[in-house]
Amino acid sequence: MRQIGLILEDGFQIMGLSALAAFEFANAELGRDGYRMTILSEHGGIVRSTLSAGIETVAFNVMPDTVMVAGELLPGPVSPGLKAYLVRAASEARRVAGVCTGAFVLAEAGLLDGRGATTHWAHARALRERFPAVRVEEDRIFMRDGNIWTSAGMSAAIDLALALIEDDHGAALARNVARRLVVYHRRPGGQSQFSALLELEPRSDRIKRALTYAKEHLRNALSVEELAEAARLSPRQFSRLFRAETGQSPAKAVESLRLEAARAMLEDGSHPLDVVARDTGFADRDRMRRAFLRAYGQPPAGLKRSLRLVGGAPAD
């Protein structure tokens, strides 16, 4: 049985606790206690979240298999005792993970020096400025560099936990746990923290309906006429309303959706480029390559190599 230790400090963000639900459901799927969860703090006792909810914790007198540090809304000072415990954990525990701004705590303890790491996008610049020895990848859901894992904020705690479960027990168990949690199995580590749909921010239900249709039918040509039909508008009305609400043409928005889906498939690592191009509607590799160069400054093959290094697999 593996022990998961989640470290909380006063002022922790309560979404960090969501990671424990994934391990709880993993036990249910396994039909046994594959994981034992322990909530830790430096001195033990009640630790309070930003919502004033109190959580009972135990002191640093154990060393779990996996040590996780929950984030705070605003990264605060790190006590000498916590830093010392994390330095020990880096060599004695099998894995150490920072959830959201928990990356700041790991960096303060020196665990991220020379490593790749991510955090909530709103704090990425501060992490980079305070800890120049850390290679900050601000647009990742989670990352793994050796035995050190970091994740973005909020719901990314679940993605990180699912990745840890997959690391322990394989993709099938992680998929079943994701289903129990009613979440996508699992967002790839290299997937952007920003959703193309959220970035477009359409106001009307009709444009939202058309974009949802596009995301679910990427293999289609997705012409203006097809999208207009999904929105129940004439092509002329649709084009005018779409640009007014999103600031983009329908073709540009569809390309963003295709790029997001293609990048996720590349990060998964098991799909040939021809399959990625076909399934995301680019039709051929050359068209997909041109779109990747415009968006990311590198071709799909180059991005696939970099994602394999820092988006969920051990770095060389």
Side-chain angles (χ1 to χ4, degrees), residues 111-167:
L111 272 61
L112 299 183
D113 288 354
R115 295 182 185 269
T118 193
T119 189
H120 191 293
W121 62 267
H123 299 284
R125 178 178 294 181
L127 183 64
R128 182 180 290 108
E129 291 174 350
R130 283 181 55 185
F131 304 101
V134 181
R135 300 193 309 274
V136 179
E137 298 280 346
E138 61 188 79
D139 197 18
R140 305 280 181 173
I141 297 296
F142 67 87
M143 290 184 63
R144 174 187 181 182
D145 194 330
N147 71 329
I148 308 296
W149 301 62
T150 51
S151 80
M154 305 302 171
S155 63
I158 295 176
D159 297 285
L160 175 61
L162 289 171
L164 295 172
I165 291 167
E166 183 172 328
D167 186 53

Side-chain angles (χ1 to χ4, degrees), residues 198-253:
L198 288 176
E199 288 291 286
L200 290 166
E201 294 185 331
R203 296 186 300 274
S204 70
D205 288 342
R206 291 190 174 192
I207 300 302
K208 290 177 182 177
R209 188 186 306 125
L211 285 168
T212 300
Y213 174 87
K215 190 174 179 65
E216 294 173 351
H217 298 83
L218 288 177
R219 281 197 182 194
N220 293 7
L222 295 177
S223 64
V224 169
E225 290 74 17
E226 184 176 358
L227 294 174
E229 183 178 350
R232 300 192 182 98
L233 292 167
S234 71
R236 179 176 294 182
Q237 286 176 313
F238 173 76
S239 295
R240 184 171 61 250
L241 185 61
F242 191 96
R243 187 176 287 276
E245 292 197 11
T246 68
Q248 296 186 19
S249 68
K252 181 65 176 175

